[in-house]
Amino acid sequence: MQTNPWHERHLPRAESRDGDHRSPYQRDKARVLHSAAFRRLQAKTQVLGVGLSDFYRTRLTHSLEAAQIGTGITAQLMQKHPAKTAELDVDEHLIETLCLAHDIGHPPFGHGGEIALHYMMRHYGGFEGNAQTFRIVTKLEPYTAQNGMNLARRSVLGLIKYPNFIDTLNRHTITEEADHSLRQVRASNWHPPKGLYRCDEAMFDWLLAPLSSSDKDSFMCIEEKAQGHAKTRSKSFDCSIMELADDIAYGIHDLEDAIVMGMVKQSAFEEAVVESIQNLNVPWLSEHIQRIPEKLFSHEHHIRKNTIGALVNCFITAIHIEEDDRFEHSLLRYNAAFPSPFQAALDVFKRFVYQHVIRKPEIQLLEYKGQQVVMELFESFNSDPERLLPLNTRNRWHTAMKQGNGPRVIADYISGMTDEFASRLYTNMFIPKRGGTHDTLSL
């Protein structure tokens, strides 16, 4: 009996359990849900800093919402394109797994932490949240000794949003030497390329083994930008659904946090969003957009909730399947996508969240503070790893040093921290008269 290569795992299952009739993707979902990396999302920043309120979204609740949206997209596509989704063997458990896992590689303090680790790793292969997700599921999460969660090949493929390597995509022209103060590091100069770590190339090769040489080359194809890093062009069908779900959750659900917290005003929303949406002639949305601000900013919570749901439904029901004839394999040949007016409309919402929430000085101050915490932790651990690293991490560091990759283990350790853990560790290490043996051991 021929096995499906996309169900294969890098480490073959050593034993089967009596009465376990789950599909490979149901098993993968369980591995994600029960992982430490997933649990830590409850204490990692989404948009607003963890601890400022118990209401708004963390990385965990964002991932849960993305998973709910992802299963909604899957159901919608199965109804719209029954023959095509049958050919692609679309599975809602798989899509849910991808949405739940898509952010597990993000470090503490959101993009501030990512900037910090990328800068500190600039001579050692860089750092990027999606690359770290790949590393966690294929190597770090201790479900197995050395193969991470050991997910099915198709699950891993669905998590690859950017299928090339950071060193290939990198276009940094700015050099900042080690004798510069860490407080002088500009975030705008150190956004990482979106790709994978070169040190994880062997697992990437295993992942792409079922594809033809032509499909591999096309999948890894990049495009140069007039400014900034080069970018990848392709993703798998499953990944395209996950990314749409992530974008909807960010553009619509994260907007709700900002409204409820009073961070944005109705007048600003009307000025930035309403006219733009009207000009796009988006079915249903352009017709109703003038009445939406009043409902979104209503003091009646159920009215706002109903409006958020209507917006999400508008975008989910617009999604269709597109074909890219560069590819032979159906998992790469087809992608879920918005019709162009809907994509433009969601971009308006996402841009509003970015400009009126994320770029607010108080949010940037939190990101900068987190950036400093992460850089100083890295600098300290990298200065004397054998003295400062926890025992298990130190053992991994020793092994990695034999391969010339010790700093990657330090980045792994810090990126896995929650916001609170990193803050307490920083306090215990650097603040006089704070922390002691008991406090340090509790970390």
Side-chain angles (χ1 to χ4, degrees), residues 179-197:
D179 57 357
H180 283 196
S181 166
L182 296 180
R183 295 185 180 182
Q184 295 177 340
V185 174
R186 287 177 176 264
S188 58
N189 292 341
W190 291 99
H191 290 289
K194 293 185 179 296
L196 303 172
Y197 306 138

Side-chain angles (χ1 to χ4, degrees), residues 381-399:
F381 286 125
N382 200 39
S383 70
D384 198 348
E386 296 200 61
R387 180 185 184 191
L388 298 175
L389 287 175
L391 182 59
N392 287 343
T393 307
R394 193 187 317 159
N395 291 338
R396 286 187 51 237
W397 178 83
H398 276 296
T399 302

